[in-house]
Amino acid sequence: MAGALSDDVAGDASSARTLERLRGQAGSGALQPAILALDQGRYADALTLAQAVLAGDPAEGQAWRIAAVAEEKQGRYVEALAAYEAALARLPDETVIAADLGRLARRLAMPEIAEKLLRRYLSTDPRAPEAQGNLAAALRDQHRYADAIESLRNMVAGEPDN
């Protein structure tokens, strides 16, 4: 696989932005301990807590997303992919899951698929720095260097102080 951008640029499954979004979407319910475990880097615990919620409600899309993040952070990409797909099936309007899948597709050396998913997400949040960074990496992996540079320009424009 081609070189990787750092997690700070390319995005991280458990970034502060992701965790903040999950906290807001999960409310004050049973998923908060799982989100806290993600925040503390206790990914196995986060997975166990998300699975406990799913045992009671297999349709809980945010629990599937937390499970996906926990699996990804543990390097279990096939399991993460299945969990992200389950989350997307239950939360079809959550375009941020497309960014998650795009990041994962990049890790799995599928840059064309990553590009499509990231562009889908960026159509709803054009200046998202993590998605722009991942898009730049996917374009670079396809040897489309001018396009990658343009994506990086968009990333810097979105967060000039970062």
Side-chain angles (χ1 to χ4, degrees), residues 91-152:
L91 303 167
D93 296 330
E94 288 289 324
T95 58
V96 72
I97 298 172
D100 293 333
L101 282 164
R103 182 187 56 250
L104 187 58
R106 224 195 99 240
R107 288 187 189 276
L108 295 171
M110 297 186 276
E112 294 86 2
I113 293 170
E115 178 187 357
K116 289 177 185 175
L117 290 162
L118 292 162
R119 288 193 187 281
R120 177 178 177 214
Y121 173 65
L122 287 166
S123 71
T124 64
D125 188 1
R127 299 233 183 226
E130 293 173 353
Q132 286 290 351
N134 275 316
L135 177 60
L139 293 167
R140 180 210 52 216
D141 293 348
Q142 295 175 68
H143 307 286
R144 293 171 48 201
Y145 303 113
D147 293 336
I149 290 169
E150 185 59 30
S151 182
L152 291 173

Side-chain angles (χ1 to χ4, degrees), residues 34-77:
I35 296 167
L36 179 61
L38 285 177
D39 195 22
Q40 295 173 341
R42 297 181 297 112
Y43 306 119
D45 291 343
L47 179 59
T48 299
L49 291 163
Q51 289 171 332
V53 170
L54 289 168
D57 183 4
E60 175 51 67
Q62 294 302 336
W64 280 109
R65 184 150 182 247
I66 291 167
V69 169
E71 294 282 22
E72 183 178 352
K73 292 301 289 185
Q74 294 179 84
R76 294 194 295 256
Y77 301 134

